Amino acid sequence: MSLPPQDNAALLGPSAHCGSLVALLRDRAEHQPQQVAYIGLENGETESARLTYAQLDAQARAIAAQLQSLGAAGTQVLLTYPLDDGLAFTAGFFGCLYAGAVTVTAWPPLNDSLLAELQYKAADAEVKFALTTEALLAQGQATFAATPPLNQIHWLATDDSALELASKQDGSGQDGSGQDGSEWQMPTISPDTLAYLQYTSGSTGLPKGAMITHGNVMNNLQMIFEACEYTPQDIGVCWLPLYHDMGLVGAVIQPVYAGGPVVMMSPVDFILKPLRWLQAISRYRATTSGGPNFAYELCLRKITPQQRAGLDLSSWAIAANGAEPVLADTLHRFAQAFQSVGFRPEAFCPAYGMAETTVMVSLATRGQLPVVKTVQRQALEQNIIAEAIVDATDNTKGGTGPDAHPETHSDVRRVVSCGRTGANHVIAIVNPDTLVRCADNEVGEVWVSGPSVAKGYFNRVKETQHTFRAQIADPELTGSEDGPEDGPFLRTGDMGFLQDGELFITGRLKDVIILWGNNHYPHFLESTVEQSHPALRPAGVAVFGIAVDEEERLVVVQEVESRFLKSLNSEEVIGAIRQSLAEQHMLEAHAIALLRPGSTPKTPTGKIQRRACKANYLAGELNIITQWQNSGIATGILLDPALAPPQ
């Protein structure tokens, strides 16, 4: 489906005087009023609405005027909208900014878990007002009235007046209805003014609200703009939740900064039918889109060769892969599977970021093959980076690019670069125990300093001091006295290394499992497990260590695909898992539990909560179909031909 040609002014990015998100949208509405900014898809397939810059500006002013009349300026305002109404969410988000309020985004309360998250954020952020749609408000009114602190919040539906205004608007900023936002007052905004609280995923602890200022987000937008080399012809497609940092910045904010439209679809529509994502890219000739590693795995599992044949992915220039560890094997298999319909491996752009850095820390270069390093497994387990020498006759390839075959031996690991950091930012690799800077060949904790780093956590002085105010014990300073080289640094909690300016992430510091004196990163093990048998559900596995006889032992919990439940051969599946772990990682599991679909605790954005999995496993609260446990002491490697996976 064709879109109107983009104004060439977008090529230059926003005007230099736009120091805030409010000034940015006002500038777009003035100079490109009829430019399509957002397109909504119903059921992930049917176009439901379009929104221009002028219409979005009008909606934002109408919402802001109402919030200002209620005294919401300077307070925290909760946003919770239906997942399939990204346009209403976008209007509410900018309406809060236009009002001079601080936005707090949250998933709609679709179940008890998400309702609890809504309660938590409302209390933690000291929310006084909330925005939603009329339908969601009517649906949840009784629940909200009986649920503190939601019953103490002033709820507003934004689709009764603001969206009606946009439908009447002629693009001039006036519609003759008297609801033109004329009562709106432009707030006073500086780079240090809070724009929103971006809550962490909660995968390793309670979610915390990172305080993102207008200066933080404007700087990060410029970093993304430069790294992606945006042009006026770029078009995005996004299914990511808008309540997550990657979806919020990529789908809601970046289009206003870069000047190109984005097509929005619900994450539920993608999960239920991943084909819809790639169909939208084909249909709109999208150039930029992405998601976590599991999204590409889901496409590989769920899209048939016949369905692939109807796609055209030749326009896809930036296939971002972030928000969780990027696996070289996934890049390789996806590129192979979809090359016949135009997908190019150099479209992959692995990225690294987090809520505490607005979103982006580093991003691979557009149009270049991702950098992949093949390293020695045993050295990596000792936090040392040693390049693996691979036999030329082997189908394991080192070097760069996802076109190399995945390793077939247990003595190597392939680690994908997440690119280089943006301007004015510094990445340091630091020993998390001694706080000493690591050598070039050592794995350590990733620390970040620069203007995209948030001010801290809302109302959490102790956590802010520990996480955002870190200092290197023996800094080898090369910057100016007040430069980012000096810190303070943000401690990311992620382990990785830097080589030739490229950042490689190896795993989460708190998730590392120590077995027989070696460090094992869960995502490597989980990738092996979920690919060991077709009955196993992708993104439904967690591995963790438990203490047995004062020694750490490996436990695997893995969901089973629904269609295999009735015919499940549990002995065969468990045998396949054990064999794969032995062959690829030289490990034997202490216990393996097969679970019903949806049993593993996850964050709303789909990240496995390994600590919660471990706690539920130890408490006997997982929905287990069958479980195997090693009756002996794991002292060696099991390579039993009888346990080999089916051919």
Side-chain angles (χ1 to χ4, degrees):
M1 175 166 290
S2 62
L3 287 169
Q6 298 299 91
D7 189 327
N8 284 335
L11 180 63
L12 303 176
S15 300
H17 65 272
C18 296
S20 72
L21 293 174
V22 174
L24 180 64
L25 178 53
R26 294 289 287 166
D27 187 71
R28 289 291 184 199
E30 178 182 354
H31 294 100
Q32 298 169 277
Q34 299 306 318
Q35 181 64 58
V36 174
Y38 305 91
I39 300 169
L41 295 184
E42 185 179 358
N43 298 322
E45 299 177 12
T46 305
E47 188 172 309
S48 57
R50 293 189 174 197
L51 197 60
T52 66
Y53 290 123
Q55 290 171 328
L56 178 58
D57 174 68
Q59 291 182 29
R61 285 186 284 112
I63 294 170
Q66 192 172 11
L67 286 171
Q68 288 175 337
S69 71
L70 295 169
T75 70
Q76 285 69 251
V77 178
L78 188 69
L79 268 68
T80 181
Y81 285 83
L83 294 175
D84 60 356
D85 202 345
L87 273 60
F89 175 94
T90 300
F93 178 80
F94 279 101
C96 286
L97 299 180
Y98 270 45
V102 179
T103 305
V104 180
T105 63
W107 282 68
L110 303 175
N111 52 46
D112 290 343
S113 176
L114 292 175
L115 177 63
E117 181 193 345
L118 201 66
Q119 288 179 271
Y120 173 82
K121 287 185 176 180
D124 188 74
E126 301 176 352
V127 166
K128 300 183 184 303
F129 301 88
L131 304 183
T132 188
T133 61
E134 286 185 315
L136 199 152
L137 184 57
Q139 180 182 350
Q141 193 164 12
T143 301
F144 297 159
T147 307
L150 303 180
N151 56 0
Q152 303 298 316
I153 294 174
H154 190 138
W155 288 84
L156 296 171
T158 61
D159 55 346
D160 53 353
S161 60
L163 293 184
E164 180 182 355
L165 169 65
S167 67
K168 297 177 181 178
Q169 180 120 0
D170 62 7
S172 65
Q174 301 289 331
D175 69 340
S177 67
Q179 290 181 313
D180 59 1
S182 58
E183 299 300 316
W184 170 66
Q185 297 293 317
M186 179 72 170
T188 300
I189 298 175
S190 74
D192 289 331
T193 301
L194 278 186
Y196 55 91
L197 300 183
Q198 182 62 66
Y199 272 80
T200 58
S201 65
S203 59
T204 59
L206 285 175
K208 298 177 286 292
M211 297 185 288
I212 308 297
T213 67
H214 283 265
N216 290 148
V217 70
M218 293 297 288
N219 181 270
N220 210 251
L221 291 171
Q222 181 63 22
M223 285 172 57
I224 298 170
F225 185 85
E226 293 176 353
C228 291
E229 300 176 2
Y230 277 117
T231 74
Q233 286 71 45
D234 279 319
I235 299 168
V237 169
C238 184
W239 58 265
L240 294 165
L242 304 183
Y243 312 94
H244 183 264
D245 51 6
M246 199 172 173
L248 177 62
V249 176
V252 175
I253 307 176
Q254 188 69 31
V256 181
Y257 192 91
V262 65
V263 179
M264 294 180 173
M265 60 189 294
S266 165
V268 174
D269 291 335
F270 162 72
I271 295 295
L272 293 177
K273 189 178 179 182
L275 178 64
R276 290 168 172 154
W277 176 31
L278 304 191
Q279 284 177 329
I281 293 173
S282 298
R283 175 183 175 189
Y284 288 94
R285 308 303 298 144
T287 57
T288 68
S289 191
N293 197 85
F294 88 84
Y296 296 94
E297 284 288 347
L298 207 57
C299 288
L300 287 167
R301 290 282 191 108
K302 300 292 186 180
I303 298 177
T304 67
Q306 293 77 17
Q307 291 171 328
R308 276 184 225 152
L311 299 171
D312 180 1
L313 303 180
S314 59
S315 64
W316 202 354
I318 300 176
N321 187 327
E324 63 185 29
V326 182
L327 301 180
D329 183 50
T330 301
L331 303 187
H332 165 69
R333 289 184 292 107
F334 189 92
Q336 277 198 327
F338 291 93
Q339 65 179 351
S340 62
V341 292
F343 184 84
R344 303 179 305 279
E346 58 267 29
F348 276 124
C349 286
Y352 171 67
M354 57 199 312
E356 291 89 342
T357 62
T358 305
V359 62
M360 173 189 162
V361 171
S362 64
L363 180 69
T365 303
R366 178 173 182 160
Q368 295 186 15
L369 288 173
V371 177
V372 181
K373 282 193 175 293
T374 303
V375 299
Q376 297 176 18
R377 175 189 62 82
Q378 290 183 332
L380 183 62
E381 291 171 359
Q382 299 297 324
N383 286 334
I384 299 296
I385 301 303
E387 186 174 353
I389 306 300
V390 182
D391 191 318
T393 62
D394 198 333
N395 68 348
T396 302
K397 297 180 182 179
T400 62
D403 56 334
H405 294 291
E407 63 267 18
T408 57
H409 296 303
S410 61
D411 57 354
V412 299
R413 293 287 175 267
R414 298 178 68 232
V415 191
V416 181
S417 166
C418 292
R420 299 171 179 267
T421 190
N424 302 320
H425 286 70
V426 171
I427 295 176
I429 306 299
V430 181
N431 184 302
D433 299 318
T434 66
L435 308 186
V436 172
R437 195 184 296 265
C438 291
D440 291 342
N441 68 334
E442 291 180 333
V443 175
E445 185 180 8
V446 179
W447 289 17
V448 181
S449 176
S452 288
V453 176
K455 293 179 67 174
Y457 294 128
F458 184 76
N459 276 354
R460 293 177 184 268
V461 176
K462 183 177 179 180
E463 290 93 333
T464 294
Q465 183 66 29
H466 175 266
T467 303
F468 288 86
R469 306 288 184 263
Q471 295 284 352
I472 298 175
D474 60 342
E476 298 174 4
L477 303 181
T478 59
S480 65
E481 190 171 299
D482 298 320
E485 289 278 359
D486 304 306
F489 286 91
L490 165 73
R491 298 189 64 167
T492 68
D494 288 311
M495 300 291 284
F497 62 95
L498 278 171
Q499 284 195 359
D500 300 323
E502 302 276 344
L503 175 64
F504 297 82
I505 301 297
T506 57
R508 290 289 298 174
L509 171 63
K510 295 180 180 179
D511 288 335
V512 172
I513 306 170
I514 303 175
L515 300 169
W516 306 336
N518 295 323
N519 296 327
H520 293 272
Y521 297 99
H523 64 273
F524 285 125
L525 306 183
E526 289 164 354
S527 177
T528 294
V529 169
E530 71 179 16
Q531 294 181 47
S532 64
H533 195 282
L536 302 178
R537 195 179 189 203
V541 56
V543 302
F544 47 83
I546 64 170
V548 179
D549 297 329
E550 299 183 354
E551 184 178 353
E552 191 161 31
R553 304 286 176 81
L554 178 66
V555 174
V556 177
V557 296
Q558 166 73 63
E559 296 178 18
V560 174
E561 288 273 25
S562 300
R563 66 181 185 274
F564 284 93
L565 289 176
K566 291 184 178 179
S567 59
L568 181 67
N569 185 332
S570 58
E571 290 186 7
E572 177 185 281
V573 174
I574 290 173
I577 293 173
R578 295 177 64 198
Q579 185 74 10
S580 295
L581 286 172
E583 290 179 342
Q584 298 298 323
H585 303 276
M586 308 295 285
L587 290 176
E588 168 69 302
H590 169 73
I592 299 172
L594 300 182
L595 314 179
R596 293 191 177 278
S599 299
T600 51
K602 297 180 181 179
T603 69
T605 54
K607 288 185 179 181
I608 288 287
Q609 294 177 303
R610 296 189 183 97
R611 292 189 194 179
C613 285
K614 178 177 178 178
N616 290 355
Y617 173 80
L618 293 174
E621 296 174 354
L622 289 176
N623 196 350
I624 295 176
I625 300 171
T626 187
Q627 181 175 200
W628 169 88
Q629 184 167 316
N630 190 346
S631 58
I633 298 176
T635 58
I637 304 303
L638 177 66
L639 288 171
D640 184 352
L643 298 176
Q647 300 298 315

